[in-house]
Structure formats: structure tokens, C-alpha cells
Amino acid sequence: MLDNHPRGTIVIEDLEIGMMRHLLKQVTDDDIEMFAQVSTDRNPVHLDDAYARDTIFEGRIAHGMLTAGLISAVIGEQLPGHGTVYLGQTLKFMAPVRPGDTVRAEVQVEAIEHAKRRVTLATRCLVGDTVVLKGEAVVLAPSRKFD
């Protein structure tokens, strides 16, 4: 995985509107198989070439939630980072991710509620210039005062 910032924590007192972090991850056949095992989602559109060729995708695709998990990685490791607690996430899947695709997962600060330690983040994933997932996350950010 490649990202643009080291892992750790940015406490709510240091967050600013517009801050952005990302990571890059090539989705492999092994990733898809491991996700199928962990999630127990063994839908053949993810695992069976012959089956998937006859679907609207005309080939295998990664689990949507595997792609969404990359957003979680950026939030939990970079922005705000360690100690962050997810409160909610919306997701809209725009296009498939295929084995071998490199996904860029991005998170950007949209709003900060200091009194509640809540941060709203714009989230999206891209393959090349194609947005494959977009949404919004609300998180409880760590604070220098309490953590």
C-alpha cells in the first residue's frame, strides 16, 4: 500500500477543513479470496470467472465492501487516524473494481464539530480517473484533551 502520509493520529484540535489523505492499493485475486473468506460472501461474481463473464460486469469484480474498507484504512490510520471511532458512513458504488485495479482511496475533512468531537469526511475511491465509490463518513475524532 502506498499513501501520502505516515500513520498515526491527527487530533481534532489540529484538524482543518480541506485536509486530505489517501492511499493506493492494487486489488489482487488473493485480496478478493481473503475478503470472501473473512466476510463469508462467496458470490460467484467475485470468485468464478465463467460465472462472472455472463453478468453485466462481463468479468469478476472485487467486493464493494473490500473497496470501502480502503476508506476505513485511511480514516483509521491517517485522517484523523489512530483512536478514531466510526459513527456512520454512506456509500454509493459507481463502477466496478476488478482484480489488478489500483484503487486510490481519498478522505477529506468537510466539517468539524469541536464540542462533540465529530468530523464529517468526504470519501471516495478512484481507479484511474473513474470514481468507483463515493460517500460521506462521520467520525468521533481523538482529542488531545481526552485521549
Side-chain angles (χ1 to χ4, degrees):
M1 244 183 295
L2 303 171
D3 54 53
N4 63 337
H5 289 278
R7 278 136 174 63
T9 303
I10 303 172
V11 292
I12 195 164
E13 293 86 358
D14 295 335
L15 289 175
E16 298 175 7
I17 303 296
M19 276 184 155
M20 179 184 264
R21 298 293 185 269
H22 75 269
L23 66 74
L24 297 171
K25 166 82 171 104
Q26 184 177 34
V27 176
T28 67
D29 287 326
D30 286 345
D31 294 329
I32 294 168
E33 180 59 40
M34 284 189 288
F35 191 87
Q37 288 181 17
V38 169
S39 68
T40 72
D41 178 356
R42 301 203 53 86
N43 183 331
V45 75
H46 307 302
L47 303 168
D48 183 322
D49 286 313
Y51 176 91
R53 270 194 299 275
D54 291 333
T55 69
I56 61 169
F57 302 111
E58 299 177 342
R60 287 189 311 116
I61 60 170
H63 300 75
M65 295 310 289
L66 189 159
T67 304
L70 300 177
I71 294 292
S72 179
V74 178
I75 290 170
E77 293 287 337
Q78 294 183 51
L79 183 64
H82 297 174
T84 301
V85 176
Y86 249 112
L87 299 176
Q89 173 81 56
T90 62
L91 299 169
K92 184 169 184 181
F93 299 98
M94 310 295 291
V97 172
R98 300 181 184 282
D101 283 349
T102 297
V103 177
R104 178 184 169 105
E106 299 178 343
V107 172
Q108 185 170 16
V109 177
E110 284 191 326
I112 304 168
E113 292 179 68
H114 289 277
K116 294 183 178 183
R117 293 173 52 193
R118 289 186 185 198
V119 179
T120 302
L121 304 160
T123 60
R124 71 181 190 161
C125 291
L126 301 98
V127 172
D129 293 330
T130 302
V131 175
V132 296
L133 177 156
K134 64 182 179 178
E136 182 178 271
V138 178
V139 301
L140 181 64
S143 169
R144 191 176 295 114
K145 295 177 185 175
F146 303 106
D147 295 335

